[in-house]
Amino acid sequence: MGTDSNSSVQPFGIKDKLGYMFGDFGNDFTFILSSSFMLKFYTDVMGISSGVVGTLMMAARFIDAFTDVTMGQIVDRSKPTKDGKFRPWIKRMCGPVAIASFLIYQSAFANMAYGFKVFWMVVTYILWGSIFYTSINIPYGSMASAISPDPKDRAQLSTWRSIGGTLAGLVIGVGTPLFAYETVNGNTVLSGPRMTVIAGIFGVLAIICYLFCFKLVRERVEVPANNQKLDIARLFKSLVTNRSLLGIIAAAIALLLAMLTMQGMAGFVFPNFYGSAEAQSLSSLTGTIVMLAICAPLAVKLSTKFGKKELSTVSCLAAAVVYLACLIIHPANPYVYVAFYTVAYIGLGFFNMIIWAMITDVIDDSEVKNGIREDGTIYAVYSFARKIGQALSSGLTGALLSMIGYTQATAFDPDVTEGIFKLSCIAPLVGFVLVALCLWFIYPLNKKRVEENVAELARRHKAQG
């Protein structure tokens, strides 16, 4: 395995950044597709109640509570190979996760019995999210600590990872509405066969991106297998008493509530309230532009100067104010709504760019306290929290849509579309406020403490030789 003691391994550089970017590009070809279009696909194409779809997305998270932590333990206890400790999993699992995602969107079954469609949805969604996505995402996320021990390098990896997710969001958010929707009887509706083709194409692109990640990234830091006997009680106690982990988990759940509700409701507010799939594509394009042109160049600089916690808290509060203004003004023009959406995305973007570096800060903080390096397990718990956020946003969106009476038959009723607009503002507004509160009052790793932890670990590692 390549380690920091192996002179044959190239120093940390642009290949690692690009490779890590491609990893999240691959992840989000299936993740964003699910969070943005699965609910609409199964309600509008397959004819399944939005409440049933949302319930599945929440219920699957109980399975993830076991599969995520189990995968984290497998990663922590695995021995390094010639390709590293984390990289091999990316190559092993890229095919299964792409195939499972494709199987979710099979419009050929739209005329099958209701029970069969629910069964198909449950099986394919759990295979994708709870098993295969977990088995590639946990090693990928844990790998950042092994690529470089330098906090600045890790912050750059976090930014490049977010760039990868942003680019995937651009392809999915801009491209999918343009090709997936068609006009039927004057209404903008989702085409099932087109969604099936799109899911297949994105699956192939995901595999290509994962292989680029495997090829370009190198692990330089030796992370030995954790050979300690598994003590469930100790592990549980260390996790539930880790304030920094609990704080980032709470903030992550709120972040996903805000971000995925924005993305998920875009599939309803633009075609149903505004009647404009083009505006939905534009919102994804402008969101991507501000992420790449504003957030990516400034995130590392601002977080280095002010602190990751401090920057994220202020930016999320600003995004909440933007959505409050949108709710009050109630724009009739879809492109004015796009403007509000875009400005709010800047607030979201700063936190999203540095959150992965905050996870490595949590891992460092845990090692300072416990003397044990548990990258896989801690990242697995965080990954589970992200899935909880995804499920809550999808489940909440589905429940709220049901509450306002949204069905295939009522999708364009004026009272229902008005409710859709209000939900598209209120849900992310609440999510952004919760992010700021969780970071400020629960998450303890301010700029000073992060710097102290880095110095302490450097001292310990030097003393260990």
Side-chain angles (χ1 to χ4, degrees):
M1 168 192 173
T3 70
D4 52 357
S5 63
N6 188 342
S7 59
S8 66
V9 177
Q10 293 181 345
F12 177 85
I14 189 62
K15 283 187 176 181
D16 299 281
K17 299 173 189 177
L18 288 173
Y20 211 62
M21 178 196 74
F22 275 116
D24 209 49
F25 212 143
N27 270 346
D28 282 339
F29 265 125
T30 63
F31 182 82
I32 294 179
L33 186 67
S34 170
S35 62
S36 299
F37 289 97
M38 180 179 162
L39 177 62
K40 190 163 185 68
F41 176 81
Y42 271 95
T43 53
D44 290 13
V45 175
M46 305 298 278
I48 295 177
S49 163
S50 59
V52 172
V53 183
T55 298
L56 165 65
M57 291 180 164
M58 289 190 288
R61 303 294 74 88
F62 291 101
I63 300 174
D64 294 342
F66 297 96
T67 59
D68 281 14
V69 176
T70 298
M71 191 64 204
Q73 282 288 304
I74 291 173
V75 170
D76 281 339
R77 294 173 183 277
S78 63
K79 295 180 180 180
T81 70
K82 64 181 180 65
D83 292 323
K85 181 173 181 175
F86 306 101
R87 287 173 63 229
W89 291 100
I90 296 173
K91 185 167 68 172
R92 291 169 190 158
M93 304 310 301
C94 62
V97 73
I99 293 170
S101 174
F102 170 66
L103 291 176
I104 292 174
Y105 305 92
Q106 296 304 302
S107 60
F109 298 148
N111 294 322
M112 298 290 285
Y114 192 88
F116 174 84
K117 291 186 290 187
V118 171
F119 170 79
W120 182 264
M121 176 181 69
V122 170
V123 171
T124 55
Y125 182 74
I126 289 175
L127 278 176
W128 166 73
S130 300
I131 299 176
F132 296 135
Y133 184 82
T134 288
S135 65
I136 199 169
N137 184 51
I138 300 300
Y140 165 72
S142 305
M143 185 169 61
S145 298
I147 296 174
S148 172
D150 190 319
K152 186 175 181 180
D153 291 345
R154 294 175 179 178
Q156 292 184 65
L157 287 174
S158 177
T159 296
W160 280 86
R161 173 175 182 166
S162 297
I163 289 173
T166 301
L167 291 174
L170 173 65
V171 175
I172 297 169
V174 175
T176 303
L178 293 178
F179 292 100
Y181 288 104
E182 57 185 351
T183 302
V184 178
N185 297 326
N187 294 324
T188 304
V189 300
L190 191 69
S191 167
R194 294 183 186 181
M195 275 299 300
T196 303
V197 173
I198 289 169
I201 293 172
F202 287 165
V204 173
L205 292 175
I207 292 174
I208 294 172
C209 289
Y210 282 133
L211 293 178
F212 270 121
C213 177
F214 175 82
K215 181 70 175 178
L216 295 173
V217 169
R218 289 294 179 268
E219 296 181 26
R220 296 171 181 81
V221 180
E222 183 78 44
V223 183
N226 179 6
N227 295 319
Q228 291 189 0
K229 182 179 180 181
L230 180 59
D231 186 339
I232 299 297
R234 183 206 66 79
L235 177 63
F236 181 76
K237 181 179 179 181
S238 68
L239 293 176
V240 299
T241 58
N242 187 334
R243 185 181 169 190
S244 60
L245 177 60
L246 295 178
I248 201 65
I249 283 176
I253 291 175
L255 170 69
L256 269 294
L257 174 64
M259 181 174 70
L260 297 181
T261 301
M262 286 175 67
Q263 295 172 352
M265 287 305 302
F268 294 89
V269 71
F270 285 111
N272 295 76
F273 181 74
Y274 287 113
S276 177
E278 294 79 9
Q280 182 179 352
S281 292
L282 180 63
S283 70
S284 295
L285 177 61
T286 56
T288 300
I289 289 173
V290 298
M291 286 282 280
L292 297 179
I294 298 176
C295 300
L298 296 178
V300 175
K301 294 179 181 178
L302 292 176
S303 63
T304 300
K305 182 175 181 179
F306 299 107
K308 303 181 191 75
K309 168 182 175 175
E310 294 81 355
L311 173 63
S312 301
T313 302
V314 172
S315 63
C316 287
L317 282 176
V321 171
V322 171
Y323 264 112
L324 178 61
C326 184
L327 179 65
I328 294 172
I329 294 173
H330 199 294
N333 187 305
Y335 298 102
V336 177
Y337 183 92
V338 169
F340 280 107
Y341 183 98
T342 304
V343 176
Y345 226 83
I346 298 175
L348 163 71
F350 281 120
F351 186 29
N352 221 21
M353 282 287 171
I354 60 176
I355 191 170
W356 307 108
M358 296 172 77
I359 302 306
T360 58
D361 291 342
V362 172
I363 293 171
D364 286 348
D365 189 60
S366 179
E367 185 180 3
V368 168
K369 290 181 177 178
N370 303 324
I372 302 173
R373 190 79 184 180
E374 295 179 306
D375 300 72
T377 300
I378 290 177
Y379 185 82
V381 174
Y382 171 71
S383 175
F384 171 62
R386 284 185 68 86
K387 290 183 179 180
I388 289 291
Q390 181 195 17
L392 287 175
S393 66
S394 298
L396 180 62
T397 301
L400 291 175
L401 286 171
S402 294
M403 185 181 71
I404 63 173
Y406 181 90
T407 65
Q408 274 181 307
T410 64
F412 294 93
D413 287 357
D415 289 342
V416 172
T417 57
E418 174 64 21
I420 288 172
F421 169 80
K422 290 179 179 177
L423 290 180
S424 74
C425 295
I426 294 173
L429 188 162
V430 172
F432 284 124
V433 171
L434 289 176
V435 171
L437 292 175
C438 291
L439 288 174
W440 193 254
F441 292 105
I442 304 176
Y443 184 72
L445 300 185
N446 55 26
K447 184 175 185 289
K448 179 182 177 182
R449 182 160 165 182
V450 168
E451 292 173 347
E452 291 173 347
N453 283 346
V454 170
E456 172 62 19
L457 289 178
R459 184 192 66 78
R460 291 186 190 181
H461 295 164
K462 183 178 181 180
Q464 293 168 359

